[in-house]
Amino acid sequence: MFRYLIRRILWALLLFLVITFVTFVIFFMGPQDPARAQCGGDQATRSCLKLVTEKYGLNKPIYIQYERFFKRLVLHFNLGHSYQTGQNINQAVYDGARETGSLVFGGAVLWMLIALTVGVYSALRPRSLIDRTAMVFVLIGVSAHPIWIGLIFEYVFGVKLGWTPIANYANFFGATAGSGQPGGPWQWFYHLILPWITFAILFAALYVRMVRANVMETLNEDYVRTARAKGAPEHRVLFSHVLRNALLPVVTMLGMDVGVALGGAIFTESVYQIHGLGWSLITAIGASDFATVQGVVVFATIAILTLNLFVDLLYAWIDPRIRLT
Amino acid sequence: MALLEVKDLRTSFQTEDGVVGAVDGVSFSIEKGQTLGIVGESGSGKSVTCLTIMGLNPRRTTISSGEALWKGKNLLTAKPGELREIRGDDISMIFQDPMTSLNPVHNIGKQLIEAVQLHRDVSVKVARARALELLKAVGIPHAERRIDDYPHQFSGGMRQRVMIAMALINDPDLLIADEPTTALDVTTQAQILNLMKRLQEDFGSAILIITHDLGVVAETADDVLVMYAARVVEQTSVDQLFGRPQHPYTWGLMGSLPRLETDVERLTQIPGQPPSLLRPPAGCRFHPRCPHVMEICKTTVPELVPTQKDPEHLQACHLDEETKDREAAKLLEATMAAEVAS
C-alpha cells in the first residue's frame, strides 16, 4: 500500500513534468513575443524590449527558461506573472479555480443526485413510463449543447420569468468590500443555480444511462439472488448488495470527469460569464498570454492527477478484490 | 402432514419470443429429514421448480399456478413479506456456482451475520459467534481468522462450504441445493456431498437436491424425480429407480454413465437435443429422441401413472410394462448403475 502510493506519486510527478514541459514548448514556438507584450505591444521601445528580455532571460535557450519556470514553481509555488496584464498568475488561478470549483462540485452533486435516483429507479422498473421518459431526456441531454441550453435557460428563467440572475458569479464568503457586487452564501447559490443545471445536464444524462445499465446488470448477479434467498428485503438487497457493486465504475468515471472539468467548464462559464479557469484559458489564448495558460494547465494537471489517485484509493476501499501493489 | 407438498406446479415465463412453459405439472412431497432428488438435463425445469417454491423468479414475467404447501401454507400465494420470513429461516437454498453466489464486496462474516440478523433479533456479537460455529461445522480451517476474509480469498470448494454454512445458520427445516457440486472438481464434490449428508444428520433438515448427475442422486437421495422438458417422466424411490427404471429417458441417463470395468470407445449418448420449451413437441416430449417410439407417442401425452408392480413408482410412458422390465434388465446388466446405487 505504502509502496503503491510512493510509486503513484512518482509517476504523477513525471507526468506533471512532461505536461508542463510540452505546454511550455508549444507556446515557446508560437509567434508571440513576451517582451513586446510586456512593453505595451506596438508602442514597445527598443530599450524596454532589451530590458525585459534581459530580466526574464527571454533570449536564453528553452531548457534554461523551463528550468527557471519549474524551479520557481516547485520552490516558491509561484507561477509568475502575466506578460500581457502584469497580473499575478497565482492570484488569477486561485480566483478562477474558486469559481470553476463552485460550478463543478455543485454540478457534480446535482448530476449524481439525478443519476442515482433516476438511474436506479429506471433499472428497477425497466420499460415503465418513468424509464421511457427518462431515456427521452437522456437523449436530449446528450444531444443538446450546453451553450444552447444555457441561452434557453437564461432567456426563460432569467429574462422572461425573472427567477434567477442571467449571469455572473457571487462570492460565497461575501463580496469584495466596495465592489458593489452581491456576495454571501445565498447569493452564491442563487447565482449558480442555472450554471449548475446547465453544466449537470450532459453528465446527468450520461450517468443516468450508466447507473441504469450497471444496476440492471448487477440485479442479475447470483449474489443478489443469494441475498433474496436469505430473506433480505428489497431495499436491503438494493443498498447493501446491488448499489455498492454497481457504482464501482461510476466512481471511476466521476473522478475523471470532475478532474477534467476542474480544468475549466468552458461552455458553461462562457454562457454565464463566470470568470473561472475555462474563461481565463480562452481569454489568455486569445491574447497569447502564455504564462496564464501555463498556470491553468498546471492547476488542471494537479487536479486530475490528485483526483485520479484519490479515486484509485477509494476504489480499492470499495472493492476488496482490488489490491494496490 | 408433509413438510412441503407441491401439487401440479406450473411456471411459465413471458419472453420476447412467446411464452415458455418451464415447469408443467410437477407434484411431489418432502417429509421431515428426507432427501428428494430432482434429475434432468439443463433446461428441464429443475431449477425453476425450486425458484418458484422460493418465490425467486422475476416477478413481472413469471406466471405460476398450482400449490406449494409449506406446513399447510401455500407459498405461491403468500405475501412477499411472509415469503421473506420463510426464506433463509425455514427454507434456505444453496446455488450452483459458489464463485458468483457470494457478494464480492462484503467479507463472509458480514454475509453470515446478515443471514442471522435478518431472522433473529440478536446482537452482532451473538450472530458472529453463531457464524463462527457454522464455519467450523462446515470445516473451514482457521475459521476465527478466515471469517473476516472476502469471498475471492477462498477456493471454490471453500466458498461452497461458506454457502452451506450460510444456508444452515438459522436451522432450516428444508435445504434446497441447486446443483451444489456441479461447479466443483470431483474430489471436492465428494467432500461437499459428505458434508451435506453429515450436516443433515446433525441439523435434521430435509434436503431437496437438484442435479443432472445420477451418481449424486444415488449417493444422497431417498426419492427421485426425473424431469424432461418441464415434465416429470419418472418418480420413485432411489432403489426402485436404479433397480427397475421404467422410462426410456431414465435408461438414456443411466446408459450415459461411464463404466469402469468395460472398455468402451465412447459413452452411449441420448441422440438429439432437448426440445425448445417455446414450441415443445406434441405427445410425449421425449418421442423425437426415443429409441422405442410408437405412433401413439407422437399424438398422446402419456400420463404419470403408477406401475402395476409398485403403486409408489410413477412413470409416464406408453410402452407396456413387460417390455420396459425387459429393457431395464438388459440395461442394468450392461451398466454399472446398479453398483452406483449400492
Side-chain angles (χ1 to χ4, degrees), chain B residues 37-74:
Chain B
I38 302 183
V39 199
E41 279 165 288
S42 318
S44 59
K46 308 165 296 196
S47 294
V48 176
T49 304
C50 297
L51 291 174
T52 308
I53 296 167
M54 294 283 275
L56 289 174
N57 285 316
R59 236 169 293 155
R60 253 184 309 274
T61 51
T62 314
I63 312 150
S64 307
S65 69
E67 283 182 332
L69 299 173
W70 174 254
K71 296 175 178 170
K73 180 186 189 70
N74 190 358

Side-chain angles (χ1 to χ4, degrees), chain B residues 154-282:
Chain B
F154 291 85
S155 67
M158 283 297 152
R159 283 191 218 184
Q160 197 60 298
R161 285 170 195 260
V162 172
M163 283 299 289
I164 294 173
M166 194 153 80
L168 292 176
I169 205 160
N170 290 318
D171 272 325
D173 296 322
L174 173 65
L175 175 66
I176 299 178
D178 186 353
E179 308 235 14
T181 57
T182 307
L184 306 173
D185 63 63
V186 181
T187 45
T188 320
Q189 282 183 12
Q191 287 174 1
I192 294 289
L193 288 179
N194 285 334
L195 175 71
M196 284 177 58
K197 254 198 282 194
R198 205 190 70 214
L199 292 172
Q200 183 177 31
E201 283 158 22
D202 295 351
F203 287 76
S205 312
I207 294 181
L208 175 56
I209 189 166
I210 301 173
T211 178
H212 61 261
D213 185 344
L214 276 177
V216 171
V217 167
E219 230 170 282
T220 55
D222 301 313
D223 289 326
V224 193
L225 222 68
V226 182
M227 283 185 77
Y228 183 77
R231 289 191 183 142
V232 177
V233 293
E234 189 162 5
Q235 186 167 3
T236 179
S237 70
V238 164
D239 295 341
Q240 273 292 318
L241 187 82
F242 286 98
R244 198 169 151 261
Q246 293 291 300
H247 196 282
Y249 178 62
T250 317
W251 303 337
L253 284 180
M254 288 181 174
S256 50
L257 281 179
R259 300 164 226 169
L260 289 179
E261 73 279 16
T262 49
D263 249 351
V264 280
E265 288 279 309
R266 52 185 303 164
L267 297 173
T268 332
Q269 56 181 29
I270 307 174
Q273 296 285 321
S276 153
L277 292 176
L278 210 55
R279 277 170 291 277

Side-chain angles (χ1 to χ4, degrees), chain A residues 222 226 228 230 236 240-241, chain B residues 87 100-101 106 114 119:
Chain A
D222 285 349
T226 307
R228 292 205 176 108
K230 277 201 274 194
R236 203 189 156 84
S240 178
H241 294 278
Chain B
R87 284 205 293 253
T100 56
S101 294
H106 295 309
E114 182 189 20
H119 298 285

